[in-house]
Amino acid sequence: MNDEILNLYRAFNTAMAADDTVTLDQLLAPTFTLTHMTGYVQPRAEWLREIKQGTMRYFSSVEDHVTMEATADGWQVTGQNRVVASIHGSRQHEWPLNTVMTVSKVEGKWQIVAAVVTTY
């Protein structure tokens, strides 16, 4: 496994669970999108704004499994984490989330270009 890419994946989950939008801002490519389990494709700025406003609150993220595969232009990281969150005013709930993440070099730096989230 590529330690740099694995650390990027883990930093994303740690920052998300801490509502740390400063770190997320550094990890996410400018064109980043998050596809939620509902199918909604959320732009980077909107997701970060919802975290800042507390509309999307994340409390913890516990890693169960992660795999990585090199692609023609970067990496595909697939991870399963149990995430406790409160989304749009719902009560806290633990979600078993499968995240498929596309990681590419953007201006010489590895960044997360997209994340597609489903349950497992």
Side-chain angles (χ1 to χ4, degrees), residues 13 17 60-65 80-84 94 120:
N13 283 294
S60 65
S61 180
V62 177
E63 184 179 300
D64 284 336
H65 184 72
Q80 290 85 36
N81 286 50
R82 288 172 282 120
V83 176
V84 175
E94 182 177 89
Y120 67 98

Side-chain angles (χ1 to χ4, degrees), residues 9 17 19 31 37 40-41 44-45 48 55 57-58 60-62 65 69 79 100 102 104 106 108 115-116 118:
Y9 170 80
D19 296 324
T31 59
M37 61 183 143
Y40 177 62
V41 180
R44 175 187 192 276
L48 292 176
T55 307
R57 297 226 30 233
Y58 300 95
S60 65
S61 180
V62 177
H65 184 72
E69 181 179 334
V100 178
T102 302
S104 297
V106 178
V116 178
T118 57

Side-chain angles (χ1 to χ4, degrees), residues 20-91:
D20 181 354
T21 56
V22 172
T23 298
L24 287 170
D25 187 55
Q26 296 169 2
L27 299 175
L28 305 178
T31 59
F32 172 83
T33 58
L34 173 63
T35 304
H36 293 275
M37 61 183 143
T38 61
Y40 177 62
V41 180
Q42 189 170 35
R44 175 187 192 276
E46 182 182 307
W47 185 54
L48 292 176
R49 184 174 54 252
E50 287 202 53
I51 293 171
K52 285 179 189 174
Q53 293 172 344
T55 307
M56 300 190 100
R57 297 226 30 233
Y58 300 95
F59 300 95
S60 65
S61 180
V62 177
E63 184 179 300
D64 284 336
H65 184 72
V66 62
T67 60
M68 301 182 343
E69 181 179 334
T71 64
D73 60 349
W75 292 87
Q76 179 175 297
V77 182
T78 303
Q80 290 85 36
N81 286 50
R82 288 172 282 120
V83 176
V84 175
S86 173
I87 306 300
H88 297 143
S90 69
R91 66 175 179 79

